[in-house]
Amino acid sequence: MKTYLAVDIGASSGRHILGWLEDGKLKLKEIYRFKNGAEDQNGHLCWDIDRLESEVTDGIAACETVPESVAVDTWAVDYVLLGKNGERICPAVAYRDSRTETVPDELEKTVPFAWLYGRTGIQMQKFNTVYQLAAQKKEMPDVFEKAEKLLMIPDYLAYRLSGVAVNEYTNASTTAMVSAEHKTWDKEIIARVGLPEKIFGELHKPGEALGGLTERVKEKVGFDLTVRLAASHDTASAFLAVPTKDENAVFLSSGTWSLIGVELKAPVTNDESRAQNFTNEGGYEYRYRYLKNIMGLWMLQNMRQELGDENSFDKLTELAQSAADYKGRIDVNAECFLAPKNMCAAVKNELMKQGFKEPTVPEMLSCVYHSLAESYAETIKALEKLTGKVYTSLNIVGGGSRDEYLNKLTAKACKLPVYAGPTEGTAIGNLIVQMIADGELASVQQARDVVRDSFEIKIYEP
């Protein structure tokens, strides 16, 4: 029996999940889990990339049997730079760091967003890689004289496993520096930002084999296996695991971020799409993930910490339901919720700005739950207008698919049936890519059929 290992790392945690096919069904086993989080390093919010590397190899060593292959997926937009000897020459600054605060406005004359969107189809987010690189160039101009290669975070972790440094397409597409039409780095954008073209390597497809483990890693884990490229942007992997039967379904990858959209065969880069701030991210087999980023469970995760970890998410739901009739709503994508010092205070301030009296904790929670659900509904309406299609269901994967209260509110707000599950959508998508590459699965559609037959999918009617 062949097994495959998915290393799936999110903003708050990472996990190693073994997957295999048994009697036509996909089986999963979590073998390792670790915490993640950005922390202050010399005035910047950074990822502890050395610790992440160590956790990745420790998780591989935890395998009791040797998998056929391993692949790594993470979040998007963040990167490191390598020097001439393959060494990392800059910290892994996190996207929530404030260094890009003024960069989009500063670049508007030379890299106007309307022009940038027309070429890349990537939505405006002040932390997009193009703006991060411009911020680094402003702060550390000398680093680009030493840089030989740019690697996104999962590219770097795969490099540290295999010794092979390449750029994977789906994650690279989120940088706002890849041509939506040609699916290659856009040299004109690179030139306008003033970056060295040599650091941007050829883009490689998910599923490609990089080779075996380096001698250093083999010595640590005790065996060898093939390192493959996943669809290394976690949303690209998560979308592969959506067990949809047709093209009339909206996908929602629900976790720290809520990424809601559809798969398209061609990008949509017109003015109306730009005004609605939809993004065209690269997907597996060059599908386009036409979607919108919504702040997601990040808000509830922070509120839970501030209210005390003894308050489980079930407790938060109970509190929110006790104030279900509260009318206050907020724009969950407002910048004040990106990295506030205190999320509860940020929610409270926004509500009081609108003229509401100081809200109670249950009222704040009810507000966030309802605002998220209504944001999903508004996004689906916009999708229908922009694509000219009518969608008949919403399919939720990821950790947020377990939130029954949010699922019920979402079904009601969207006036669509909601299909929730599987929870480990991102890891499943990672495994699917490996299994297709190794011939265990024939196609994405077969994989989705297997997922539908293998996991419980809960249905919430509007």
Side-chain angles (χ1 to χ4, degrees):
M1 180 180 64
K2 291 184 175 183
T3 62
Y4 303 84
L5 181 62
V7 181
D8 171 31
I9 309 176
S12 59
S13 67
R15 60 211 61 80
H16 290 57
I17 295 182
L18 278 174
W20 65 94
L21 293 176
E22 186 176 312
D23 298 327
K25 294 187 177 182
L26 180 59
K27 302 292 184 178
L28 304 178
K29 181 181 181 181
E30 181 180 304
I31 61 167
Y32 193 80
R33 181 175 285 263
F34 56 93
K35 290 183 179 180
N36 189 27
E39 53 194 40
D40 186 82
Q41 294 181 20
N42 300 317
H44 285 297
L45 195 63
C46 299
W47 305 106
D48 187 344
I49 197 74
D50 291 328
R51 187 181 66 79
L52 286 181
E53 179 189 340
S54 180
E55 297 283 13
V56 168
T57 53
D58 285 349
I60 295 172
C63 292
E64 295 179 357
T65 58
V66 180
E68 298 295 313
S69 59
V70 61
V72 181
D73 68 77
T74 77
W75 62 96
V77 304
D78 293 341
Y79 65 91
V80 297
L81 297 172
L82 302 184
K84 64 179 181 180
N85 296 317
E87 77 281 14
R88 195 176 72 250
I89 60 172
C90 70
V93 179
Y95 60 86
R96 294 190 192 276
D97 183 74
S98 61
R99 66 177 176 167
T100 58
E101 191 73 37
T102 61
V103 174
D105 290 338
E106 292 169 359
L107 278 187
E108 187 60 23
K109 286 185 179 179
T110 54
V111 190
F113 179 65
W115 175 83
L116 188 66
Y117 187 86
R119 296 175 78 91
T120 68
I122 298 300
Q123 73 181 110
M124 166 56 77
Q125 295 179 125
K126 67 180 184 180
F127 52 73
N128 284 341
T129 316
V130 65
Y131 298 133
Q132 292 200 50
L133 286 165
Q136 185 161 26
K137 183 172 180 288
K138 180 180 178 181
E139 182 183 2
M140 304 170 62
D142 292 348
V143 79
F144 289 99
E145 296 177 8
K146 305 172 185 175
E148 293 292 328
K149 185 172 283 291
L150 173 142
L151 293 179
M152 307 304 283
I153 297 299
D155 296 338
Y156 177 75
L157 294 172
Y159 159 64
R160 295 298 293 167
L161 290 176
S162 67
V164 180
V166 301
N167 297 114
E168 187 273 326
Y169 167 68
T170 68
N171 215 305
S173 75
T174 70
T175 62
M177 303 182 77
V178 170
S179 166
E181 178 183 0
H182 301 295
K183 307 173 188 67
T184 56
W185 295 111
D186 190 312
K187 295 180 180 180
E188 177 66 18
I189 297 172
I190 292 168
R192 289 199 186 191
V193 181
L195 300 170
E197 187 180 311
K198 68 177 181 179
I199 68 174
F200 300 93
E202 178 186 353
L203 298 184
H204 292 252
K205 296 179 183 179
E208 287 189 22
L210 301 182
L213 299 174
T214 66
E215 292 301 321
R216 174 184 58 83
V217 177
K218 277 194 290 186
E219 183 176 348
K220 183 174 181 179
V221 304
F223 54 81
D224 196 10
L225 77 169
T226 299
V227 180
R228 289 192 183 275
L229 294 176
S232 70
H233 181 200
D234 50 14
T235 310
S237 280
F239 268 40
L240 284 170
V242 177
T244 179
K245 294 181 179 180
D246 56 47
E247 297 181 353
N248 299 317
V250 178
F251 299 0
L252 171 57
S253 176
S254 179
T256 300
W257 287 91
S258 291
L259 298 109
I260 181 169
V262 294
E263 283 186 337
L264 297 177
K265 295 179 180 179
V268 181
T269 59
N270 57 38
D271 290 344
E272 188 174 1
S273 179
R274 171 170 54 84
Q276 293 279 352
N277 211 28
F278 275 82
T279 200
N280 296 265
E281 295 175 351
Y284 184 71
E285 293 180 336
Y286 293 132
R287 293 170 167 86
Y288 290 90
R289 291 175 288 117
Y290 188 55
L291 54 84
K292 180 174 281 191
N293 285 11
I294 296 171
M295 202 67 74
L297 301 185
W298 162 254
M299 300 182 73
L300 294 169
Q301 290 165 352
N302 277 264
M303 293 175 80
R304 179 186 175 221
Q305 289 179 354
E306 292 159 10
L307 295 170
D309 283 343
E310 66 274 9
N311 290 292
S312 64
F313 283 109
D314 287 342
K315 179 63 175 178
L316 297 192
T317 298
E318 183 182 323
L319 291 169
Q321 287 178 296
S322 72
D325 294 333
Y326 183 66
K327 301 302 181 185
R329 299 291 185 269
I330 53 174
D331 175 6
V332 293
N333 284 323
E335 200 167 295
C336 60
F337 302 128
L338 181 63
K341 291 182 179 179
N342 185 287
M343 186 66 74
C344 290
V347 173
K348 185 183 298 183
N349 289 341
E350 284 299 298
L351 287 168
M352 293 178 72
K353 280 181 187 178
Q354 297 177 37
F356 290 95
K357 68 178 184 180
E358 184 172 346
T360 64
V361 167
E363 287 171 340
M364 285 191 290
L365 290 166
S366 177
C367 167
V368 172
Y369 268 103
H370 281 87
S371 297
L372 281 171
E374 290 172 16
S375 180
Y376 300 157
E378 291 167 6
T379 302
I380 292 173
K381 287 181 181 178
L383 275 170
E384 291 184 331
K385 183 178 180 181
L386 288 162
T387 63
K389 294 182 67 173
V390 175
Y391 297 102
T392 56
S393 66
L394 175 62
N395 293 252
I396 304 177
V397 297
S401 67
R402 291 177 295 195
D403 194 320
E404 294 201 357
Y405 184 52
L406 183 55
N407 293 341
K408 289 175 182 177
L409 292 177
T410 299
K412 183 177 179 181
C414 297
K415 298 180 174 61
L416 292 174
V418 167
Y419 297 87
T423 301
E424 294 289 359
T426 304
I428 290 171
N430 181 321
L431 293 166
I432 284 170
V433 168
Q434 295 183 64
M435 289 179 173
I436 290 175
D438 199 39
E440 285 284 280
L441 292 170
S443 66
V444 172
Q445 190 55 59
Q446 184 197 6
R448 286 175 170 160
D449 292 342
V450 168
V451 170
R452 191 168 51 251
D453 292 339
S454 302
F455 302 97
E456 180 184 10
I457 311 296
K458 291 189 176 181
I459 305 174
Y460 300 84
E461 297 292 348

